[in-house]
Amino acid sequence: MIINQANLQGMYRTFKVIFNQAFAGAPSQCDLVAMRVPSTTREQSYPWLADFPGMREWIGDRAIKDISAFDYTIKNKSFESTVGVDRDDIDGYGPEVLTLNNPGTGIYKYKVYYFSDHGYAAPATTATVKVWVDGVLAGNWSQAITNYKTWNVCTITTAGSGPVSIAYVGGVTEPPAGDIQETKPLESVTEPPAGDIQQDNPLE
């Protein structure tokens, strides 16, 4: 399936409906251990009195016991749970997203190959590659590239759970012999061989 704008919208709607249905169908557990208290301010104060004195037999005058007042303040906090879905547009114009969630130890070579201009004889186009590591932009490069050329972008060195090293390589190279698949123009139109023409005769 080609992931274009229409298909992405359909995937988003389907995903959202399924998620909301599952979320609404899950039973809530918070009412078993907590009490809901509406709050419309940034902080909420809760005053209360100390322990009420015990009862005694009333003999003579009342014995007045002082009760201390206490309070505590709760600052309201925001909570969220966000689900991310990669957008991988493969219709030729990008962006194309490649994600390595748990890369193994090794060196990854990232290259961009301009496969074909599809017969339009277009001039060089500019490709852009951005590399993020743990949500932080670690590399951002652009390069003009022409038909059937390869841009050697960078190497990504990983060491399991250790740090990730990004090194720009650069340079545009020719593809190996035999790897080029050219788009051939249509052949010229010729007359059919004699005897292959079937002429429609008018009705008598």
Side-chain angles (χ1 to χ4, degrees):
M1 179 184 70
I2 296 178
I3 304 180
N4 52 30
Q5 183 176 3
N7 290 336
L8 282 172
Q9 290 178 351
M11 293 169 59
Y12 171 74
R13 292 192 184 100
T14 302
F15 180 80
K16 182 177 180 181
V17 169
I18 295 175
F19 178 82
N20 287 344
Q21 288 176 347
F23 184 80
S28 176
Q29 305 292 329
C30 67
D31 293 330
L32 300 178
V33 296
M35 178 180 65
R36 297 178 184 267
V37 178
S39 176
T40 57
T41 59
R42 184 177 181 180
E43 298 179 352
Q44 196 73 34
S45 295
Y46 298 90
W48 83 97
L49 299 177
D51 293 338
F52 194 84
M55 301 293 291
R56 72 177 185 89
E57 183 181 0
W58 189 351
I59 300 175
D61 295 335
R62 294 177 182 268
I64 300 176
K65 298 179 176 63
D66 294 332
I67 299 178
S68 300
F70 299 90
D71 72 334
Y72 66 95
T73 301
I74 296 179
K75 293 183 178 181
N76 293 327
K77 297 181 180 180
S78 299
F79 295 88
E80 61 87 25
S81 179
T82 304
V83 178
V85 179
D86 276 346
R87 175 188 176 188
D88 190 354
D89 189 350
I90 58 175
D91 61 4
Y93 297 97
E96 182 173 351
V97 179
L98 303 177
T99 303
L100 297 176
N101 291 320
N102 296 297
T105 300
I107 300 176
Y108 297 83
K109 297 180 180 180
Y110 194 91
K111 302 181 180 183
V112 174
Y113 177 52
Y114 190 172
F115 174 72
S116 175
D117 59 12
H118 302 289
Y120 289 101
T125 187
T126 300
T128 299
V129 172
K130 296 181 180 181
V131 180
W132 280 267
V133 178
D134 293 332
V136 178
L137 184 63
N140 183 5
W141 311 283
S142 296
Q143 173 67 52
I145 187 172
T146 56
N147 219 15
Y148 308 124
K149 299 297 193 299
T150 298
W151 173 27
N152 302 294
V153 184
C154 66
T155 59
I156 304 173
T157 305
T158 62
S161 59
V164 177
S165 175
I166 310 295
Y168 180 69
V169 177
V172 177
T173 58
E174 296 282 347
D179 284 357
I180 298 179
Q181 299 180 5
E182 295 185 358
T183 304
K184 296 182 179 179
L186 295 176
E187 297 179 358
S188 59
V189 178
T190 59
E191 294 289 336
D196 285 357
I197 299 178
Q198 299 181 359
Q199 182 173 355
D200 294 332
N201 296 322
L203 296 175
E204 297 179 355

